[in-house]
Amino acid sequence: TIKAYDGIIDEIKLHVANNNKAKIWLDATRSNYAISSLIPSESLVNKQNAVTPMKACKNKAEMEGMKRAHIVDGAAMAHFISWLQHKLVVEGEKVSEVEIDEVLTGYRAQQPGYIEDSFPTIAGVGSNGAIIHYRAQADSDLLQYLDTSKSILIDSGGQYTYGTTDVTRTWHFGEGSAQFKENYTRVLKGNIGVDSMIYPEDTPGFVLDVFARKSLWEAELDYGHGTGHGVGAALNVHEGPHSISPRWGNKEVMMKGMVVSNEPGLYEDGSFGIRIENLLETTYLNEEDNVAYDEGLNEGDEGYPEKPAGKKTFLKFNKLTMIPIQKNLIVVSLMTVDELDWLDAYHEEVYSKVSPLLEEGSPGLVWLQKSCEKIDRTI
C-alpha cells in the first residue's frame, strides 16, 4: 500500500506499537533523527537500502543512455563555447555570469530528450570561481562579467530522458598567467591520474583519491572537497553509495557499472577557481568479464570466465564526458608523454563522437575541430 508521504512518522509509531516482533529495515547512516529515533534497537535492521546498489551499478541499457546523453551534451557545449568565444574575442563584448547560464541552458534545451538542467549551473568568473557552489544572481553584488582578462569556471549538467550529465571546465579566452597555467596543468594531471587507474575489485573509492592530488601535493597545493561522487542514470546527479574522497569513512568499493565524477580542482580566494570534471564509467579491464556482466552470468554459470585460483579481477574507467580540454592553458613541459598521449586520444574520441551531431561549417563544428587537434608538444 502506498501511503501519504507526510504520514511516515505516525505509520512507524503504529507499526512498532502494534507488533512486538516488528522489524524495520533502515540505513541509519542515511536517515534523519526524527525517523531513526522512533525505532527500538531490537526492531532495527540497520543495513544499506537494497535498491541503492541496484541504482549505482547500471545495466547495459542504462549505460548506453548515459553515453548518448554525454555525446549530445558535448554538441550543446560546442555550440555554447563557440558562441561565447565569438562574443568575447571577435565582438569584444563582456558577458555576465547570468547570461552565460541562460545561453548554455538554451543550447542544452535544443538537444533531443532534454528535460531540465541536472542542477543549477555554476558559472563563476574570476574570484567567483573559488566559491565552490556559487550561483549567479542578476541582483547580487557578487555578479561579474567575463572578458578576455579573466578565467571562468563552469560546472553544469543536463537531465535527459535517457541519461544525466555533470561536467566542469575552466576556460580563459585571453592569456592566462604563467602561475595560472601551471595550476591548471597540475589539476589536469590529477584528472588524468584518476582516469588512468587500473585497480582490483573490492577497492574503495578513497584509495583512488591520492592520484587526483599527487601533482598538486608536489607543489604544496591541495583542494578542500572530494574528488568524485556517484551519478544516477536519468536520476540524481549526486547518487551514492560510492565516492572518491580523502574522507575514509566511506568504504564502499568501486564496482562494474558505477558512474563516478572525476573533478580535482584548485582555488585561490579572491582570485580564481580551477576545476576539470569528467564523468567516468567503471568497467572491467578484461572484455570477457564485461560480456559476462552484461549477460547476467555469475561465477559457476556456463560461460562465466574461468580464472586461476587467487587471480583477481581488475577494473578501469571509461570516459563518458565528451567535451574538449583547453590546450593553450597546459604547460607541456609539466606533462609526461603518457599524459599527452591521453589528451590526444581523448580529443580524438570526442571529435569522432560529437562531430556527427554538428552541421558542416557551423561555428560549433569549427570550434570542435580546432579544440580537438593534437597538442603542440614543442612549446
Side-chain angles (χ1 to χ4, degrees):
T1 303
I2 298 176
K3 298 190 177 182
Y5 183 87
D6 292 339
I8 187 170
I9 298 294
D10 291 337
E11 290 293 336
I12 290 175
K13 289 178 179 178
L14 188 64
H15 181 67
V16 172
N18 291 347
N19 185 353
N20 59 8
K21 294 183 178 181
K23 294 293 182 184
I24 297 177
W25 187 344
L26 181 78
D27 185 348
T29 66
R30 296 182 176 275
S31 174
N32 61 45
Y33 180 77
I35 292 176
S36 58
S37 63
L38 298 174
I39 306 170
S41 58
E42 62 271 17
S43 297
L44 177 64
V45 180
N46 187 9
K47 292 184 178 181
Q48 184 182 82
N49 190 316
V51 176
T52 298
M54 297 179 192
K55 288 199 302 180
C57 298
K58 281 62 175 172
N59 60 33
K60 186 175 182 179
E62 290 172 321
M63 196 61 76
E64 287 302 315
M66 291 292 279
K67 291 175 181 177
R68 180 188 176 196
H70 283 85
I71 293 170
V72 302
D73 214 56
M77 190 63 75
H79 287 305
F80 166 69
I81 295 297
S82 65
W83 168 85
L84 183 58
Q85 182 174 272
H86 189 271
K87 278 282 188 183
L88 299 170
V89 178
V90 178
E91 297 182 11
E93 293 190 15
K94 294 183 178 182
V95 184
S96 77
E97 295 164 330
V98 170
E99 185 178 2
I100 287 168
D101 181 350
E102 293 172 345
V103 173
L104 175 53
T105 296
Y107 280 118
R108 278 201 170 99
Q110 295 173 17
Q111 304 308 310
Y114 173 86
I115 301 172
E116 61 184 356
D117 287 354
S118 54
F119 60 96
T121 294
I122 299 167
V125 171
S127 58
N128 286 343
I131 304 172
I132 302 299
H133 293 121
Y134 175 72
R135 181 75 197 276
Q137 303 286 344
D139 57 353
S140 170
D141 292 338
L142 291 176
L143 181 69
Q144 293 197 42
Y145 288 76
L146 180 64
D147 58 26
T148 56
S149 70
K150 299 177 182 178
S151 63
I152 183 169
L153 184 155
I154 304 177
D155 187 349
S156 65
Q159 194 70 278
Y160 302 89
T161 55
Y162 40 84
T164 304
T165 70
D166 178 4
V167 57
T168 308
R169 291 289 185 268
T170 303
W171 308 96
H172 199 305
F173 297 95
E175 183 62 35
S177 69
Q179 188 60 58
F180 184 87
K181 290 180 179 180
E182 178 179 336
N183 293 336
Y184 182 93
T185 305
R186 291 188 181 278
V187 171
L188 174 59
K189 286 169 71 71
N191 184 286
I192 296 172
V194 172
D195 181 284
S196 305
M197 277 302 300
I198 293 172
Y199 54 96
E201 275 190 318
D202 299 324
T203 298
F206 73 79
V207 173
L208 307 179
D209 184 79
V210 66
F211 295 93
R213 300 174 193 267
K214 179 177 180 295
S215 183
L216 289 168
W217 285 356
E218 289 170 350
E220 301 181 58
L221 300 168
D222 201 1
Y223 54 96
H225 57 75
T227 298
H229 58 83
V231 179
L235 287 170
N236 293 338
V237 74
H238 280 211
E239 177 183 271
H242 55 293
S243 69
I244 300 175
S245 169
R247 294 181 285 276
W248 297 357
N250 188 343
K251 295 181 173 60
E252 292 288 341
V253 301
M254 301 302 297
M255 299 173 66
K256 160 73 178 178
M258 286 180 168
V259 172
V260 65
S261 68
N262 174 19
E263 47 184 309
L266 187 66
Y267 312 91
E268 184 176 305
D269 286 348
S271 183
F272 67 84
I274 299 171
R275 188 160 65 249
I276 301 172
E277 175 188 16
N278 281 355
L279 295 194
L280 303 175
E281 170 197 6
T282 310
T283 190
Y284 289 121
L285 179 64
N286 295 317
E287 189 56 30
E288 60 182 8
D289 294 317
N290 291 313
V291 172
Y293 177 92
D294 289 338
E295 293 180 354
L297 300 179
N298 297 308
E299 189 172 0
D301 292 345
E302 183 179 353
Y304 189 85
E306 293 185 6
K307 291 184 173 62
K311 173 71 173 178
K312 291 185 176 181
T313 300
F314 279 76
L315 295 163
K316 67 172 184 174
F317 292 122
N318 287 336
K319 303 166 197 63
L320 290 172
T321 303
M322 291 290 124
I323 295 169
I325 292 165
Q326 189 171 348
K327 299 192 297 292
N328 64 359
L329 293 179
I330 297 170
V331 180
V332 172
S333 61
L334 286 177
M335 300 279 281
T336 67
V337 172
D338 285 346
E339 289 167 342
L340 292 171
D341 288 345
W342 179 98
L343 185 69
D344 284 343
Y346 177 53
H347 284 154
E348 183 177 359
E349 181 182 6
V350 169
Y351 186 76
S352 69
K353 292 181 176 178
V354 176
S355 61
L357 301 185
L358 303 173
E359 291 185 9
E360 189 66 35
S362 67
L365 182 58
V366 172
W367 174 84
L368 187 71
Q369 288 172 327
K370 182 68 175 177
S371 298
C372 291
E373 291 175 353
K374 289 187 177 183
I375 190 168
D376 184 353
R377 304 190 184 202
T378 64
I379 57 176

